[in-house]
């Protein structure tokens, strides 16, 4: 059984759903992440515990953080090299990477990553909503709109350009890239390569800290320090 976390972009069907309904793009992403990534995260955590039975949960958590931070850097550098279209795609990829990380961290600390409550967690941890109540309400709306179809879900009269602008803004907020100048700078060729990698790495670290603080059991002992050799 492999325990590697493969690089993965948001599925094509999700991208189309978010483009059709940009107002609820973060909610659609969170729902899709739990459905698609939740079982993978649970399997990964089980496999890692079998391979490293003596490893502390905090150690497993750091393995997940390192892996997804690398994914974020890679996608940020790659999309930074292709200008503004890459910057728009990158915020979607970054939000997806963060969601994958959160679900893997939940699994590491014994929290089921496959249940609907994890979608609520994603939206709160990524600061799309301030509290779970608002997140659950928005998820309910988004889940209903998934079945309406793209033509009906799209705001009447919204142009493609306007829909894409709203989509990129909503996803940028979800990913934590709130400074518009950072997103714009990522669209500058060459400079965007370095900045894209840095912005993504920082955003992954931010959501990792919040997720660990939420999921880590308070009774869990700290990682034991190595003993100093006797004098």
């Amino acid at each position: 059984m492999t325990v590697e976390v493969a690089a993965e972009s948001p599925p094509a069907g999700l991208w189309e759903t978010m483009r059709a309904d940009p107002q609820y793009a973060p909610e659609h992403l969170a729902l899709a992440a739990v459905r698609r990534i939740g079982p993978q995260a649970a399997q990964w955590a089980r496999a890692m515990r079998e391979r490293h039975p003596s490893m502390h949960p905090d150690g497993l958590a750091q393995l997940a953080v390192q892996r997804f931070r690398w994914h974020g850097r890679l996608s940020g550098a790659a999309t930074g090299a292709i200008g503004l279209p890459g910057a728009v795609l990158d915020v979607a990829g970054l939000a997806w990477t963060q969601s994958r990380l959160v679900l893997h961290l939940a699994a590491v600390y014994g929290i089921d990553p496959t249940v609907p409550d994890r979608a609520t967690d994603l939206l709160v941890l990524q600061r799309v909503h301030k509290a779970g109540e608002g997140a659950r309400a928005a998820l309910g709306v988004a889940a209903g709109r998934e079945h309406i179809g793209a033509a009906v879900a799209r705001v009447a009269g919204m142009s493609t350009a306007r829909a894409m602008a709203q989509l990129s803004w909503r996803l940028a907020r979800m990913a934590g890239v709130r400074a518009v100048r950072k997103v714009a700078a990522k669209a500058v060729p060459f400079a965007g390569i370095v900045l894209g990698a840095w912005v993504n790495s920082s955003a992954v670290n931010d959501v990792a800290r919040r997720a660990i603080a939420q999921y880590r059991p308070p009774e869990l002992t700290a990682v034991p320090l190595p003993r100093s050799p006797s004098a």
Side-chain angles (χ1 to χ4, degrees):
M1 176 185 299
T2 179
V3 295
E4 293 298 321
V5 179
E8 180 182 291
S9 300
L14 171 60
W15 181 248
E16 291 304 317
T17 299
M18 292 191 299
R19 287 179 60 187
D21 193 20
Q23 180 180 358
Y24 287 93
E27 288 78 14
H28 289 304
L29 190 148
L31 289 168
V34 172
R35 288 194 297 260
R36 185 181 181 102
I37 304 302
Q40 296 177 17
Q43 182 183 37
W44 179 86
R46 286 194 299 269
M48 290 297 288
R49 292 190 192 100
E50 291 174 3
R51 175 174 286 191
H52 306 287
S54 62
M55 182 175 286
H56 193 279
D58 289 345
L60 295 178
Q62 288 308 308
L63 289 178
V65 173
Q66 291 169 12
R67 175 61 63 178
F68 286 108
R69 185 168 54 219
W70 179 82
H71 286 173
R73 286 174 180 168
L74 185 63
S75 66
T79 52
I82 57 176
L84 185 56
V88 175
L89 290 173
D90 185 37
V91 291
L94 176 56
W96 184 251
T97 295
Q98 290 176 321
S99 298
R100 297 176 70 205
L101 171 59
V102 168
L103 295 174
H104 280 73
L105 289 174
V108 162
Y109 288 114
I111 307 297
D112 189 349
T114 67
V115 299
D117 281 349
R118 296 296 80 77
T120 301
D121 292 349
L122 289 174
L123 295 176
V124 174
L125 288 169
Q126 291 173 293
R127 295 180 173 172
V128 177
H129 295 279
K130 294 182 179 179
E133 183 177 354
R136 281 188 289 272
L139 286 166
V141 173
R145 290 163 75 96
E146 280 184 335
H147 304 291
I148 294 175
V152 180
R154 186 184 295 278
V155 177
M158 181 180 289
S159 66
T160 300
R162 182 181 172 191
M164 287 300 292
Q166 184 175 3
L167 173 61
S168 62
W169 172 247
R170 291 284 289 166
L171 291 175
R173 289 192 62 191
M174 184 181 193
V177 188
R178 290 183 174 84
V180 176
R181 64 178 179 272
K182 287 183 179 180
V183 178
K186 287 170 66 175
V188 178
F190 304 112
I193 297 174
V194 176
L195 185 59
W198 176 80
V199 167
N200 283 15
S201 179
S202 298
V204 169
N205 285 339
D206 287 344
V207 78
R209 284 192 290 268
R210 293 193 291 272
I212 291 172
Q214 174 162 327
Y215 292 135
R216 189 181 191 276
E219 67 276 10
L220 186 65
T221 57
V223 178
L225 296 174
R227 300 175 61 182
S228 299
S230 302

